[in-house]
Amino acid sequence: MGEPEGLLIEASRIATVAARDLWRRARPPGDAGGPRLADLRRRLELLVAAVFRIDCPIVAADPPHAPNWLARLARRTPPHLVVGRPLAGTDGTRIRLPPDLDPQASRILALEQGARAARGTPRRLPPAGPLRDLYL
């Protein structure tokens, strides 16, 4: 028998998947939606593993945090340069992709981030500063 924490985690995962599937079935008929990252995740992981021979789980990227008032005051970033949607990225162990992509774009982004993870780009980043910005 598993550990109590493991049983709770597994039960919550099963409940979450069941709720998600129920929510998708209750979607209005005009909302086609198409496949989401959760539907394509396993296939994308297999694609990245086959091409680059690495085992990188693919997870949904979170949208960037909204800057607080002090950051907005100090940086004075023009509104057209502020990105409000999730962006693809990797830390070398996981690949993060936006959750709402069409299948072709998700394949391209998964392969791009898989190549970065395979060649070790995140480990070779210079420390914070202008050189890091140029590298990225």
Side-chain angles (χ1 to χ4, degrees):
M1 186 164 178
E3 295 291 322
E5 295 86 10
L7 292 174
L8 288 174
I9 291 171
E10 185 64 20
S12 65
R13 186 190 68 78
I14 291 170
T16 303
V17 169
R20 180 196 66 201
D21 292 343
L22 181 65
W23 184 266
R24 286 187 183 158
R25 281 194 304 268
R27 197 177 350 197
D31 184 18
R36 294 177 45 94
L37 181 62
D39 303 327
L40 303 171
R41 186 184 62 81
R42 184 65 188 143
R43 285 188 239 159
L44 293 174
E45 288 174 350
L46 291 172
L47 175 66
V48 170
V51 172
F52 299 109
R53 296 186 180 152
I54 58 171
D55 185 26
C56 261
I58 295 179
V59 297
D62 295 327
H65 296 291
N68 59 18
W69 68 272
L70 185 59
R72 287 192 305 265
L73 182 67
R75 290 196 187 119
R76 299 278 187 195
T77 305
H80 67 281
L81 295 178
V82 176
V83 178
R85 57 185 161 70
L87 299 175
T90 183
D91 59 1
T93 57
R94 279 178 273 153
I95 294 174
R96 291 178 186 84
L97 296 178
D100 296 325
L101 281 179
D102 61 291
Q104 289 78 21
S106 62
R107 274 187 235 132
I108 292 169
L109 282 175
L111 289 173
E112 176 188 17
Q113 298 304 323
R116 288 180 177 169
R119 71 175 178 247
T121 299
R123 290 189 303 272
R124 294 187 179 101
L125 281 175
L131 189 58
R132 181 184 177 103
D133 294 337
L134 287 174
Y135 187 78
L136 291 172

